[in-house]
Amino acid sequence: MKTLQKDDINFICELNAPCFQALSPDEVQLVKSSRTQVQFRKGDNLTKQGTFASYVMFMVDGLAIQYVESDLTKSYNLRIIQPGEFIGLSSVFSANTFSYSSVAITDCHVFLVEKTAIAQIISSNGIFGLSLIKRYSEQNVNLYDIIRKVLYKQMNGRMAEALLYINNIKPKYPDIFQILTRKDLADFAGISTESAVKLLKSLEKDHILELNGKDINILDELKLTEICKRG
Amino acid sequence: MKTLQKDDINFICELNAPCFQALSPDEVQLVKSSRTQVQFRKGDNLTKQGTFASYVMFMVDGLAIQYVESDLTKSYNLRIIQPGEFIGLSSVFSANTFSYSSVAITDCHVFLVEKTAIAQIISSNGIFGLSLIKRYSEQNVNLYDIIRKVLYKQMNGRMAEALLYINNIKPKYPDIFQILTRKDLADFAGISTESAVKLLKSLEKDHILELNGKDINILDELKLTEICKRG
DNA sequence: TGTTTAAATTGATATACATCAACTTTTTTA
DNA sequence: TAAAAAAGTTGATGTATATCAATTTAAACA
């Protein structure tokens, strides 16, 4: 029986995602051979909504914003993509086009894996399929939450939620707020840039947060959570 | 080698969903033995947002509306669940609670299948897993479309989209509009009932549709599509 | 290092839509 | 079949938030 080579183990470790732990030596080989490594510079688009998607991306290193666009100039930020996460999983097995865009907010190191390879592994390895399904399931729950947020919350609640979300990432990436513009923040909350600025100032006046240039320090997380819940 | 019994074949046919075609005799047995059949009356809730979900539902016969609720009295209709479709797939493998509600709009015949049984089959049968993943993928694409609709379209476009969506179902279920109230329609469009009424009247005046009591006949689908696209 | 470009800020104005209220019609139920 | 409840309809009013315009500050660039 085949066993994993040291090389393969390193590879799997680098991927740092639970689902890859279930792969057999042959399957690891398949992923390794059908992947392409790509570097993206800050500001580059990893995916563009509506373009052809024959592959899934896997973020090895770096941060990106996933967002949806209107025909016009508006966009809405859905999440920050972190290392160990997939990009493009959501649409690759039905629509053949990406249903969202994503843009690097730091330099990124990414794998592209052909969807045929992924499909092949799912067919032969049920455990891998199940762990992917768990990811789909999580994403689904997330999307429902986003729909609720967009439908039922207004400015204050949305902004609070956006700030709490980003603040959650701060321990791991302390300069996260410095990377984001006011427009980025506004797009996370789904409001206009001007409204975002006004809300931030007003939250600062109420001692709920502190604005140091572009950095933001949440002072009263409890109150912010309260605002978030109230809507 | 085991083969499918006549009984099992009937069962599979009744399920009428591509993913079940891939099951082995043992797996069919597992689904059959771990399922519960339930009848819902028009108006009953099949799922309630936030409640514990240890099972997946499979619609055998009947129609239901899937919707998300706010804490208050508002709801937004996501889709009409038709025979052959799953309910609760989206959250069952991550959150253990339903992330949406659903209500029968006709009497419904439904299977409940324990998620442990589904998980077991996915683990052992990659083809089944892959076909489920295709469903997840479709649902995902749908949810992204909904997010875009909610974010970027206004009244007219949303109403047009809702009407086109329901009109698509009309060939199969000719009385679909008669089943739905103005509030249901409004909740599909994500607008107030009053606005929905006014929009319908205005669309009638423009000869885009015809209102016969509760029934709606789309006269100018092209123009409606136009309105839908314009937003 | 000065110059251009982009981002942030602020108050004034505009608007799409919800909410409210009052009424009519339809459906349910007793 | 009458009475009550629910659904549908219409116009008047209110409001959250976008848009606009004008200015300041910061970042990029040559």
Side-chain angles (χ1 to χ4, degrees):
Chain A
M1 192 196 158
K2 281 183 194 172
T3 52
L4 285 168
Q5 301 303 113
K6 196 169 176 192
D7 228 40
D8 293 344
I9 291 170
N10 284 341
F11 177 69
I12 293 298
C13 285
E14 193 193 351
L15 290 184
N16 187 31
C19 60
F20 289 116
Q21 310 303 315
L23 297 189
S24 75
D26 282 350
E27 290 161 353
V28 170
Q29 218 42 55
L30 183 60
V31 172
K32 276 181 83 169
S33 66
S34 68
R35 83 183 192 278
T36 316
Q37 299 201 51
V38 189
Q39 297 284 148
F40 289 97
R41 310 297 297 271
K42 181 177 173 168
D44 290 347
N45 267 104
L46 312 202
T47 63
K48 185 72 185 169
Q49 185 178 305
T51 61
F52 187 64
S54 69
Y55 51 82
V56 173
M57 288 177 153
F58 183 83
M59 178 73 81
V60 179
D61 202 52
L63 295 177
I65 289 179
Q66 178 183 330
Y67 63 103
V68 290
E69 310 183 52
S70 73
D71 305 337
L72 309 159
T73 43
K74 287 182 175 179
S75 42
Y76 175 75
N77 295 338
L78 297 161
R79 64 162 177 147
I80 293 175
I81 301 162
Q82 293 175 256
E85 296 181 349
F86 286 101
I87 308 146
L89 207 54
S90 19
S91 43
V92 81
F93 291 116
S94 55
N96 287 314
T97 53
F98 288 112
S99 35
Y100 48 78
S101 298
S102 53
V103 62
I105 53 173
T106 69
D107 293 352
C108 288
H109 175 205
V110 172
F111 281 175
L112 314 188
V113 185
E114 280 304 316
K115 77 168 169 184
T116 48
I118 300 275
Q120 196 179 323
I121 295 173
I122 297 168
S123 311
S124 64
N125 185 336
I127 306 286
F128 178 75
L130 188 57
S131 73
L132 271 194
I133 282 181
K134 279 185 184 138
R135 290 212 182 214
Y136 273 104
S137 193
E138 279 162 25
Q139 276 182 25
N140 259 317
V141 171
N142 242 308
L143 291 174
Y144 283 108
D145 286 341
I146 286 170
I147 290 172
R148 262 186 292 274
K149 173 169 124 190
V150 165
L151 279 169
Y152 301 130
K153 281 191 179 166
Q154 49 196 62
M155 279 224 299
N156 298 276
R158 288 177 179 204
M159 194 57 182
E161 189 164 337
L163 289 169
L164 287 169
Y165 172 70
I166 296 161
N167 200 49
N168 257 2
I169 297 174
K170 209 179 176 185
K172 227 175 190 170
Y173 302 93
D175 55 345
I176 183 67
F177 278 113
Q178 266 121 323
I179 300 175
L180 301 171
T181 65
R182 294 291 131 119
K183 184 181 182 325
D184 290 331
L185 276 180
D187 285 349
F188 267 109
I191 61 177
S192 73
T193 309
E194 293 93 328
S195 293
V197 170
K198 287 167 195 171
L199 279 178
L200 285 175
K201 295 279 162 185
S202 137
L203 288 169
E204 188 180 38
K205 217 182 62 202
D206 297 346
H207 305 289
I208 291 169
L209 50 76
E210 199 179 33
L211 302 170
N212 295 324
K214 295 187 77 177
D215 193 26
I216 297 174
N217 290 308
I218 308 294
L219 302 175
D220 196 339
E221 200 166 331
L222 229 71
K223 218 171 215 165
L224 206 55
T225 310
E226 164 82 16
I227 294 170
C228 175
K229 277 193 190 136
R230 200 170 49 232
Chain B
M1 191 195 161
K2 279 184 194 172
T3 53
L4 285 167
Q5 299 304 113
K6 197 170 175 193
D7 228 41
D8 293 345
I9 292 171
N10 284 340
F11 176 68
I12 294 297
C13 285
E14 194 193 353
L15 290 184
N16 186 32
C19 59
F20 290 116
Q21 310 303 315
L23 297 189
S24 75
D26 282 350
E27 289 160 353
V28 171
Q29 218 43 55
L30 183 61
V31 172
K32 276 181 82 170
S33 65
S34 68
R35 84 184 192 278
T36 315
Q37 299 201 50
V38 188
Q39 297 285 148
F40 289 97
R41 309 298 297 270
K42 181 175 174 170
D44 291 347
N45 266 105
L46 312 201
T47 63
K48 186 73 184 168
Q49 183 178 305
T51 61
F52 186 62
S54 69
Y55 50 84
V56 173
M57 287 177 155
F58 183 82
M59 178 72 81
V60 178
D61 202 52
L63 295 177
I65 289 179
Q66 179 184 330
Y67 63 103
V68 290
E69 310 183 52
S70 72
D71 305 336
L72 309 159
T73 43
K74 286 182 176 178
S75 43
Y76 177 74
N77 293 338
L78 296 161
R79 64 162 176 145
I80 292 174
I81 300 163
Q82 293 175 257
E85 296 181 348
F86 286 102
I87 309 147
L89 208 54
S90 19
S91 43
V92 81
F93 291 117
S94 54
N96 287 314
T97 54
F98 288 112
S99 35
Y100 47 77
S101 298
S102 52
V103 62
I105 54 172
T106 69
D107 292 352
C108 288
H109 175 202
V110 172
F111 281 175
L112 314 190
V113 186
E114 281 303 315
K115 77 168 171 186
T116 48
I118 300 275
Q120 196 179 322
I121 296 173
I122 297 168
S123 311
S124 64
N125 186 336
I127 305 286
F128 179 75
L130 188 58
S131 73
L132 271 195
I133 282 181
K134 277 183 184 139
R135 292 214 181 212
Y136 274 104
S137 194
E138 280 162 23
Q139 277 182 25
N140 258 318
V141 172
N142 244 307
L143 291 174
Y144 283 108
D145 287 341
I146 287 169
I147 290 172
R148 261 186 293 273
K149 174 169 123 189
V150 164
L151 279 169
Y152 301 130
K153 281 192 178 164
Q154 49 195 62
M155 278 222 301
N156 298 275
R158 288 176 180 206
M159 193 59 182
E161 190 165 336
L163 288 169
L164 288 168
Y165 171 71
I166 296 161
N167 199 49
N168 257 1
I169 297 173
K170 208 180 176 185
K172 229 177 190 167
Y173 302 93
D175 55 345
I176 183 68
F177 278 114
Q178 267 121 321
I179 300 175
L180 301 172
T181 65
R182 295 289 131 119
K183 183 181 183 323
D184 290 332
L185 276 180
D187 285 349
F188 267 109
I191 61 178
S192 73
T193 309
E194 293 93 325
S195 294
V197 170
K198 287 167 193 169
L199 279 178
L200 285 174
K201 295 278 163 186
S202 137
L203 288 168
E204 188 179 40
K205 218 182 61 203
D206 297 346
H207 306 289
I208 291 169
L209 51 75
E210 199 179 33
L211 302 171
N212 295 323
K214 295 186 78 176
D215 194 26
I216 297 175
N217 291 307
I218 309 295
L219 301 175
D220 196 340
E221 200 167 331
L222 230 72
K223 218 169 214 164
L224 205 57
T225 310
E226 165 81 14
I227 294 170
C228 174
K229 275 191 190 138
R230 199 171 49 233

